[in-house]
Amino acid sequence: MRQGSDLVAAEVLVNAPDLVVCLDSDLLIEAIGGDTEAFLGLASQELLGRSAIELIHNEDQERVIANMKRFADGQETYRPELRLAHAGGYSVVVEVVGRRVRRRDGTHYLLVARRQLGLGVRQVADDVGIGILRCDPFWEIHESNAAASLLHGYAGEELFGRIQDLSVRVLVEPDGDSTAVSGLETAVQLHPALRYLEDAGVSSLVATIVGRDGVSRVISFDGRRVQYREDGTPGIIMLLRDVTELHQMQQELYRRSTRDDLTGLLKRSTFIQAAESLLKATVQQSGEQSGGSSLFGVLFCDIDRFKSINERHGHGEADRFLAQLSADLAQLGTGPAQLGTGPAQLGTNTEASQSTGGTTSVHLGRIGGDEFALAVQCNNRAEFDRLAAGFRASVQRTALATLHVLVTASVGVSEFDPEVGQTVEELLDEAGAVLRVAKGTGRDRILHCDTSLRSVRIEQKRLEGVLRAALRTGRIEYALQPVVDPYTGQISGAEALARLRDDNGSLVPAAKWIEVAVSAGLSNAVDAAVVEPVIKLLGSLVGRCPRGLPVIGVNLSDTSLARPDLAEWIFSLLERHQVDPVAFLVEVPELVLPVIRERAAEALRQFREKGLWLAVDDFGSGYASFNEVRDLPLNTLKIDRSFLTEQRDSADYIILRTALEMTHALGCRSVAEGVETQAELEIVMDLKVNYVQGYLLARPMPPDDFVRLLLSDRPLAPQRIEHEDG
């Protein structure tokens, strides 16, 4: 070094505002200047010849040595943040800028340290748990802090070297499905640092890191591309945050929004989305394959008489049965089309090889209380039947294991027809309609939607349109069938029966359109279209009937009985038309008694308190227990026609006699429905029935005809039949 240059260098060293250190190739201090007292608590003369590493806080020394080695090899421009060890026992945080000086005797280093005001960036980041990672385009880590090390499972060590050499595995979740990644090549492709460097569009990413310590952490990586100030070398700086708890919370919220809490299966909306994707793939594959061998279908599965399970075993046991059934369904078909290997996989799209060749893909969802659906892609129509049979077998197996009773199930199958081009919603609706046919024709069976059933479905959709139009325009009619005292022939009341006319003016059979109303969710509207005019009719008869107002009953559906404003609705109509509640009767179908025990119990209690009549319709045809009839505030039992008989020594006669005896024992009045012959009338009268209703006495008639007949006060059965007991 020339003398003039040495003088200049010496002046710079002495008067520099920062700490300036010249090191030889062995990192020994050959010159030092600036305020050494402030930075290190020592005079400059005391530092000459000492190793620069000794001036650094012992926790930062290993990192600085590694950085200096890379700096000496020319791999980076040195600009770390570190802590100097002050002689006073505390640390001084500085940022260091380095230069390499090539001389004949080797490479020397000029380092300038500038004091950081307050806490250093690295220390602040460590304190709040934010990791810092700096990399170059060659996948080399140049700098990291303690938080970044901990997030990668390294305790007390700085991350450095090539990213792919880190002892970690990366689980990236681009589509919500975690995929474990191992191996050098895959790790290089998927580590977020490399994604940033290779993809200009990536600015943030969440990935699961299985650290060197074996702990999985969900980490948020936010990166920025930068250029190092000294030589313009491009690189990336990333901030790392541990978002494991937030991720788990989000996953739980997502699970709850897409999966049923009880069973873990897909909810209806999520099932439909998954099924639509499967249907789209089926159509695409069929277009690509000659002959279109890929098939798609929807199976609508329902547990037979599940309401009685709820009632007899309690909701807790019924829920346990459904949960165990869902777990059992995961094993559905241990051969082809296995749905999964455990509850955690339920509802996911799974594939398994078929013995017939090809694969079967299945989505499973719970779409109602005891209703399940399967979306199936396969190459063989027999697979639909195999899966349906597997569902029914699973129901029986689970019921025997949990409830210790035999429970059956019915399945409706609807197959996608490319000529028709149904949506998943339409297929599900169609399969549901087929299921209802299966349940209505004996239950415990599998039924496919064939051409004839599809025609029935088309007719039902047409009738739904007719019904909606009639409701919209107020064209729902009703007829009144008299209820008669068989011992006097006097009319005591009537049952109101809803009527629907087709577009040509003809009456539609009730069995056809009532089913349509139920499936379309229109039962409540139909009930309202009958209840209001019936009460209005009663209001018009106030003060006109010689024997007082008749009791007119309306059969309410389970949806109407579940109305939260049921009592308020009925009482407001009675009050508006000034009708005494004792003139109105609410008929409850026996089949819905288990459903309404809780939902409508309060409304039924209010009805009974104010004198309104409550009847069980079609008693004996359902599965109501004695307790249900006893516990509800009922006062009328209408005996189902199926037990009427002309044979006094038959089983039906014994059932009829028992039902009437129970009715009277409960303090209820009895009505025999469907009396059509004189012999039937004589039998029910011998059994002391209170009232009769049937074609023998009077058919359903228009309201005006009923009023004329009522006001005429003409007996319908003038003869009096004497009983043996007198």
Side-chain angles (χ1 to χ4, degrees):
M1 184 180 290
R2 295 189 303 274
Q3 184 176 5
S5 298
D6 291 341
L7 291 174
V8 172
E11 184 177 354
V12 170
L13 289 174
V14 171
N15 298 314
D18 302 320
L19 182 65
V20 182
V21 184
C22 292
L23 305 179
D24 62 16
S25 57
D26 294 325
L27 304 184
L28 298 178
I29 300 173
E30 57 184 3
I32 188 166
D35 192 354
T36 58
E37 289 285 349
F39 282 90
L40 299 167
L42 298 171
S44 57
Q45 293 82 359
E46 300 178 68
L47 299 168
L48 294 175
R50 293 177 59 176
S51 171
I53 300 302
E54 297 178 5
L55 308 181
I56 299 170
H57 192 283
N58 57 8
E59 292 183 3
D60 292 348
Q61 288 180 4
E62 184 178 351
R63 173 172 60 86
V64 171
I65 291 172
N67 285 340
M68 282 299 299
K69 182 180 182 302
R70 294 196 298 274
F71 179 57
D73 293 339
Q75 296 181 18
E76 68 170 293
T77 302
Y78 195 57
R79 193 183 182 89
E81 183 183 282
L82 53 85
R83 291 170 292 176
L84 297 177
H86 195 277
Y90 56 89
S91 301
V92 177
V93 181
V94 297
E95 181 185 39
V96 178
V97 177
R99 289 287 186 272
R100 288 178 291 269
V101 180
R102 308 292 183 182
R103 294 172 57 176
R104 291 183 180 180
D105 59 347
T107 301
H108 294 246
Y109 308 100
L110 178 63
L111 304 178
V112 179
R114 177 167 298 170
R115 183 190 296 271
Q116 292 286 342
L117 298 178
L119 293 175
V121 174
R122 289 167 54 87
Q123 184 177 349
V124 171
D126 283 338
D127 290 343
V128 298
I130 297 177
I132 300 176
L133 201 63
R134 185 164 66 100
C135 311
D136 67 13
F138 306 104
W139 309 337
E140 192 80 18
I141 300 174
H142 286 197
E143 189 175 2
S144 69
N145 67 341
S149 301
L150 290 174
L151 290 175
H152 283 79
Y154 287 73
E157 301 178 32
E158 182 182 357
L159 300 180
F160 62 87
R162 291 169 62 84
I163 294 172
Q164 59 266 40
D165 293 335
L166 297 176
S167 299
V168 300
R169 288 187 299 130
V170 182
L171 311 181
V172 182
E173 303 179 38
D175 299 315
D177 295 325
S178 297
T179 305
V181 179
S182 60
L184 177 63
E185 181 179 354
T186 308
V188 168
Q189 293 176 353
L190 292 181
H191 193 282
L194 305 176
R195 293 282 300 275
Y196 286 131
L197 291 169
E198 295 175 359
D199 185 354
V202 175
S203 60
S204 62
L205 185 70
V206 175
T208 300
I209 300 293
V210 181
R212 189 173 68 170
D213 57 359
V215 177
S216 296
R217 302 173 179 87
V218 183
I219 301 175
S220 170
F221 293 84
D222 292 305
R224 295 292 183 272
R225 287 167 183 79
V226 296
Q227 288 185 337
Y228 299 153
R229 300 179 190 174
E230 290 75 15
D231 58 7
T233 302
I236 189 165
I237 292 179
M238 287 186 296
L239 299 181
L240 288 62
R241 296 176 177 85
D242 189 338
V243 294
T244 304
E245 291 186 5
L246 176 61
H247 180 76
Q248 291 173 344
M249 185 184 303
Q250 291 173 337
Q251 289 292 95
E252 177 63 16
L253 291 174
Y254 177 77
R255 187 197 67 77
R256 290 187 178 184
S257 67
T258 59
R259 292 186 177 270
D260 176 61
D261 288 337
L262 176 64
T263 64
L265 301 181
L266 296 177
K267 291 184 177 180
R268 181 188 178 98
S269 60
T270 315
F271 168 80
I272 291 175
Q273 292 175 4
E276 286 173 345
S277 298
L278 198 58
L279 174 57
K280 183 178 180 181
T282 304
V283 173
Q284 182 177 354
Q285 291 177 18
S286 298
E288 295 172 352
Q289 300 171 359
S290 59
S293 59
S294 188
L295 306 174
F296 180 85
V298 172
L299 280 61
F300 199 123
C301 314
D302 179 87
I303 300 169
D304 296 331
R305 301 187 176 98
F306 186 73
K307 292 177 181 178
S308 65
I309 294 176
N310 261 321
E311 177 59 26
R312 294 178 183 180
H313 298 274
H315 292 289
E317 285 299 305
D319 285 349
R320 189 169 73 88
F321 162 67
L322 290 176
Q324 184 59 44
L325 171 63
S326 301
D328 193 75
L329 289 174
Q331 310 298 329
L332 179 58
T334 54
Q338 184 172 330
L339 288 184
T341 57
Q345 293 179 321
L346 291 175
T348 58
N349 175 259
T350 59
E351 297 184 352
S353 297
Q354 290 187 16
S355 58
T356 56
T359 59
T360 293
S361 299
V362 181
H363 284 296
L364 174 62
R366 183 190 183 196
I367 58 175
D370 64 322
E371 297 173 340
F372 298 82
L374 279 73
V376 183
Q377 181 193 47
C378 59
N379 301 94
N380 186 349
R381 283 185 172 83
E383 192 69 1
F384 295 132
D385 283 326
R386 197 195 68 78
L387 288 168
F391 179 88
R392 295 171 63 225
S394 186
V395 168
Q396 292 187 12
R397 181 167 56 248
T398 305
L400 288 173
T402 58
L403 304 174
H404 309 295
V405 296
L406 178 64
V407 176
T408 61
S410 302
V411 181
V413 182
S414 178
E415 184 181 334
F416 175 74
D417 185 349
E419 298 296 327
V420 179
Q422 308 101 310
T423 65
V424 170
E425 284 274 17
E426 290 170 339
L427 288 169
L428 189 62
D429 191 33
E430 193 171 74
V434 175
L435 173 68
R436 287 190 292 275
V437 174
K439 293 176 77 69
T441 53
R443 300 184 176 88
D444 192 23
R445 57 183 303 204
I446 302 168
L447 192 62
H448 287 255
C449 185
D450 56 17
T451 303
S452 61
L453 288 174
R454 191 158 283 161
S455 298
V456 170
R457 181 59 183 158
I458 292 173
E459 173 63 12
Q460 289 177 334
K461 295 296 289 185
R462 187 191 70 81
L463 283 179
E464 181 181 333
V466 172
L467 175 58
R468 290 185 181 278
L471 287 169
R472 187 172 56 252
T473 57
R475 292 186 290 107
I476 295 294
E477 302 177 11
Y478 72 96
L480 293 172
Q481 184 173 28
V483 174
V484 181
D485 181 339
Y487 312 105
T488 64
Q490 296 295 330
I491 296 175
S492 66
E495 178 181 357
L497 305 169
R499 294 288 187 261
L500 175 68
R501 293 191 181 275
D502 213 332
D503 293 335
N504 59 11
S506 61
L507 286 175
V508 180
K512 292 177 62 176
W513 74 268
I514 292 297
E515 179 184 351
V516 171
V518 172
S519 61
L522 299 174
S523 299
N524 191 29
V526 171
D527 291 348
V530 175
V531 169
E532 296 186 18
V534 163
I535 293 179
K536 182 178 180 180
L537 175 69
L538 284 170
S540 69
L541 292 174
V542 173
R544 298 172 58 194
C545 301
R547 299 179 185 274
L549 284 178
V551 177
I552 299 182
V554 178
N555 197 318
L556 295 184
S557 64
D558 55 348
T559 54
S560 290
L561 290 167
R563 286 180 56 158
D565 64 339
L566 175 61
E568 180 183 352
W569 172 49
I570 296 296
F571 287 138
S572 64
L573 290 173
L574 293 171
E575 183 178 358
R576 182 190 311 168
H577 296 285
Q578 299 182 342
V579 176
D580 192 323
V582 298
F584 191 70
L585 181 145
V586 170
E587 296 191 15
V588 180
E590 184 188 10
L591 287 173
V592 306
L593 281 182
V595 180
I596 67 164
R597 284 192 67 177
E598 296 180 3
R599 297 181 183 176
E602 177 59 23
L604 298 184
R605 184 189 62 78
Q606 293 182 45
F607 288 158
R608 184 65 180 268
E609 284 182 353
K610 296 194 176 182
L612 189 144
W613 291 93
L614 296 173
V616 177
D617 193 25
D618 302 324
F619 182 70
S621 64
Y623 298 90
S625 68
F626 178 82
N627 288 337
E628 288 167 347
V629 177
R630 181 193 62 188
D631 294 343
L632 290 171
L634 305 167
N635 49 28
T636 304
L637 296 185
K638 301 187 73 173
I639 310 300
D640 187 69
R641 163 169 173 72
S642 61
F643 297 109
L644 295 184
T645 178
E646 297 180 4
Q647 306 298 322
R648 296 177 184 266
D649 58 351
S650 66
D652 285 339
Y653 177 83
I654 296 173
I655 295 174
L656 175 64
R657 184 184 64 194
T658 302
L660 287 170
E661 288 174 352
M662 187 181 82
T663 302
H664 300 147
L666 290 170
C668 298
R669 64 177 188 171
S670 58
V671 180
E673 295 183 293
V675 176
E676 296 182 356
T677 68
Q678 184 66 30
E680 290 174 349
L681 178 62
E682 291 175 0
I683 283 178
V684 295
M685 291 179 66
D686 286 345
L687 293 174
K688 298 183 175 61
V689 70
N690 298 119
Y691 300 96
V692 294
Q693 175 183 342
Y695 282 9
L696 178 67
L697 301 169
R699 292 175 175 269
M701 60 189 68
D704 290 344
D705 292 349
F706 173 78
V707 170
R708 282 193 292 271
L709 183 61
L710 178 70
L711 296 181
S712 71
D713 200 27
R714 177 173 61 85
L716 296 183
Q719 72 278 15
R720 180 180 178 84
I721 301 176
E722 299 293 337
H723 298 284
E724 294 180 1
D725 59 4

